[in-house]
């Protein structure tokens, strides 16, 4: 559509001749239906669009799901790609780790870590949503994709677009962590650093999508993209032996992950794959950017945007697009929300590493620290089985923890110098 405007050289998508069909879209607010389109907002009422799944479609049994490859696509009846996906077939099915030491530290019956710090291919849960969005892009005949990102999404779009032979334009705040810039640029996309906050980047990208006709995964492809997050809920239930935990805690940036986790648990229950019910949902934010926590605590239905001031940059979204939905999911499930300081989140990173052997980025530190606070306040109960959603890898944000770690001693290659350390 806009090939003359994109400067990046690009190969024709190798899979264009196998483009998957997509679900139609329906407006969450007014119910208007639309054919598949790279549009995420209802033209009638400006409400958000979401995929409309055929209510009479055949759903798989537990055994059928278990026999499929270990990826997000084993749950494809709940994803908006109809028939066989063609891109990013190997994303998903990350480990669910039982951590008795973490449970003891938190003061809950059982703590499990859903470890998307080892997600494939870019070490964050964004691989899930991008896998769905790129199949949607191909299905819509788009040859250029992109995103507005705080880092992890940039990594995921760049890597998966490179593999698919799609051109990618990626927009990030100018001051992003070096590891996230390098972990994007290496895949060869057009990477643009924007002066301003993520919210400025996001506003710009809404205009970019309109002007150039590209598929911006978290803007005009958002209706498809967001559904990928549900696979984390499906995996948690399956990995628990087709059972739901008492409580799930997740970090909140735009609020989409928590909203979609809640939706995923309900869909599994509605399908009869787990017993009726749903976990209590708990949301975590950094206190320097906590508009959704504020909404949960204040009540009402309107986000009051904030200017982010936190080292947890991957979740520093001051005007969260799905904030009201996330707050509603938390309240509706009987859960709660908590905000933690930058110091507490660094302690959270260390607690998870020392108890569970998982090195998470700042957002994961927020999740662990918020779980500790919620348990202390009695909002997570001592009898709870809690799943902590760890969404990103600590090697991307090492600057956050460097000041908190002891300096390693330097010795000569002499046994007596080591002996002195051992005996000290
Ligand atoms: Zn509408």
């Amino acid at each position: 559509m806009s090939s003359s405007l994109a400067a990046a050289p690009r190969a024709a998508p190798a899979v264009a001749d196998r483009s998957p069909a997509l679900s139609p879209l329906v407006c969450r607010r007014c119910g208007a239906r639309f054919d598949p389109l790279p549009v995420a907002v209802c033209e009638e009422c400006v409400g958000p669009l979401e995929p409309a799944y055929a209510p009479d479609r055949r759903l798989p049994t537990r055994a059928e799901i278990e026999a499929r490859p270990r990826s997000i696509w084993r749950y494809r009846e709940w994803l908006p790609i109809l028939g066989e996906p063609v891109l990013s077939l190997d994303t998903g099915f990350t480990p669910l780790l039982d951590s008795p030491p973490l449970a003891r530290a938190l003061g809950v019956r059982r703590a499990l870590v859903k470890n998307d710090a080892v997600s494939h291919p870019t070490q964050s849960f964004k691989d899930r949503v991008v896998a769905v969005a790129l199949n949607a892009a191909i299905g819509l005949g788009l040859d250029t994709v992109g995103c507005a990102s705080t880092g992890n999404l940039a990594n995921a779009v760049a890597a998966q677009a490179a593999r698919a032979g799609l051109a990618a334009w990626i927009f990030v705040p100018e001051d992003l962590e070096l590891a996230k810039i390098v972990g994007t640029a290496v895949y060869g996309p057009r990477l643009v650093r924007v002066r301003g906050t993520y919210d400025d980047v996001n506003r710009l990208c809404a205009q970019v999508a309109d002007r150039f006709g590209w598929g911006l995964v978290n803007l005009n492809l958002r209706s498809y993209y967001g559904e990928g997050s549900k696979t984390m809920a499906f995996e948690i239930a399956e990995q628990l032996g087709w059972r739901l935990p008492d409580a799930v805690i997740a970090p909140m940036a735009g609020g989409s992950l928590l909203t979609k986790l809640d939706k995923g648990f309900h869909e599994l229950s509605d399908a009869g794959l787990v017993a009726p019910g749903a976990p209590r949902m708990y949301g975590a934010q950094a206190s320097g950017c906590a508009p959704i926590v504020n909404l949960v605590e204040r009540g009402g239905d309107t986000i009051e945007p904030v200017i982010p001031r936190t080292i947890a940059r991957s979740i520093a979204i001051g005007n969260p697009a799905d904030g009201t939905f996330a707050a509603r999911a938390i309240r509706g499930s009987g859960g709660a929300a908590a905000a933690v300081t930058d110091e507490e989140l660094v302690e959270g990173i260390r607690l998870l590493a020392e108890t569970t052997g998982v090195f998470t980025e700042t957002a994961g530190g927020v999740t662990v620290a918020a779980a500790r606070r919620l348990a202390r306040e009695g909002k997570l109960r001592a009898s709870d089985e809690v799943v902590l959603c760890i969404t990103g890898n600590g090697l991307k944000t090492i600057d956050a923890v460097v000041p908190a770690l002891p300096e390693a001693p330097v010795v000569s290659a002499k046994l007596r110098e080591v002996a002195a350390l051992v005996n000290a």
Side-chain angles (χ1 to χ4, degrees):
M1 203 184 302
S2 60
S3 54
S4 63
L5 295 164
R10 90 186 71 148
V15 292
D17 56 334
R18 295 188 283 129
S19 297
L22 306 181
S23 298
L25 299 173
V26 60
C27 174
R28 255 178 104 148
R29 191 179 293 161
C30 77
R33 288 176 73 99
F34 301 88
D35 288 335
L37 273 175
V39 171
V41 176
C42 175
E43 66 182 26
E44 309 285 329
C45 78
V46 213
L49 302 183
E50 63 182 7
Y53 297 101
D56 57 351
R57 71 196 188 285
R58 187 186 171 279
L59 296 177
T61 63
R62 292 176 181 177
E64 284 169 331
I65 293 170
E66 287 166 3
R68 292 174 175 174
R70 292 191 155 205
S71 77
I72 62 168
W73 302 109
R74 70 207 257 121
Y75 312 106
R76 60 177 177 259
E77 285 82 357
W78 293 273
L79 295 174
I81 311 301
L82 304 178
E84 293 294 325
V86 295
L87 297 175
S88 299
L89 303 182
D90 45 12
T91 288
F93 227 80
T94 58
L96 182 70
L97 306 168
D98 192 0
S99 180
L102 181 60
R104 278 194 294 278
L106 296 177
V108 297
R109 177 170 62 85
R110 193 179 185 201
L112 296 128
V113 170
K114 182 58 175 164
N115 187 14
D116 269 22
V118 293
S119 172
H120 181 73
T122 63
Q123 294 78 49
S124 91
F125 88 102
K126 296 290 189 184
D127 286 324
R128 299 172 183 276
V129 282
V130 171
V132 175
L134 292 205
N135 280 283
I138 286 277
L140 294 165
L142 304 172
D143 58 10
T144 301
V145 295
C147 62
S149 175
T150 54
N152 283 322
L153 182 58
N155 297 170
V157 171
Q160 295 189 41
R163 186 160 64 162
L166 293 163
W169 281 80
I170 291 173
F171 298 83
V172 297
E174 178 189 28
D175 66 349
L176 207 60
E177 296 98 330
L178 181 63
K180 285 183 174 161
I181 291 175
V182 172
T184 303
V186 71
Y187 302 106
R190 293 298 301 264
L191 175 61
V192 183
R193 296 163 65 203
V194 179
R195 275 181 226 105
T197 64
Y198 170 80
D199 298 285
D200 298 318
V201 179
N202 195 60
R203 267 194 302 276
L204 172 65
C205 283
Q207 297 173 292
V208 165
D210 284 347
R211 171 72 176 76
F212 299 104
W214 297 338
L216 284 256
V217 299
N218 56 336
L219 287 134
N220 56 349
L221 298 182
R222 191 175 185 84
S223 310
Y224 299 103
Y225 156 97
E227 292 288 282
S229 290
K230 295 187 309 189
T231 59
M232 196 186 265
F234 301 154
E235 289 174 16
I236 288 168
E238 182 179 348
Q239 289 168 317
L240 283 172
W242 298 107
R243 193 169 62 70
L244 300 178
D246 299 311
V248 174
I249 180 163
M252 299 188 293
S256 174
L257 171 61
L258 189 138
T259 308
K260 296 292 185 174
L261 286 167
D262 185 60
K263 183 181 181 189
F265 290 126
H266 281 97
E267 285 180 347
L268 278 188
S269 174
D270 292 346
L273 288 166
V274 295
R280 278 174 273 122
M281 300 301 300
Y282 293 81
Q285 293 197 293
S287 50
C289 182
I292 308 177
V293 176
N294 295 343
L295 179 59
V296 170
E297 290 177 351
R298 190 181 66 236
D301 225 13
T302 310
I303 287 283
E304 286 177 10
V306 302
I307 305 289
R309 282 192 190 78
T310 171
I311 59 170
R313 277 184 264 183
S314 68
I315 54 171
I317 296 181
N319 190 10
D322 291 305
T324 54
F325 296 119
R328 219 176 280 166
I330 290 168
R331 288 196 210 111
S333 70
V340 299
T341 65
D342 285 358
E343 273 176 18
E344 288 172 310
L345 83 82
V346 172
E347 288 167 17
I349 291 172
R350 295 184 70 187
L351 179 64
L352 184 68
E354 292 173 6
T355 56
T356 313
V358 170
F359 183 18
T360 186
E361 65 161 6
T362 44
V366 168
T367 303
V368 174
R372 186 148 69 170
R373 168 168 298 199
L374 288 161
R376 208 156 43 210
E377 292 172 351
K379 292 174 180 166
L380 281 171
R381 304 168 194 166
S383 59
D384 277 345
E385 177 182 62
V386 183
V387 173
L388 295 90
C389 294
I390 297 303
T391 49
N393 192 297
L395 292 174
K396 297 189 191 187
T397 59
I398 55 171
D399 287 351
V401 284
V402 167
L405 300 178
E407 203 172 327
V410 178
V411 298
S412 307
K414 289 180 180 147
L415 182 59
R416 64 182 155 75
E417 294 202 19
V418 176
L421 290 174
V422 172
N423 296 325

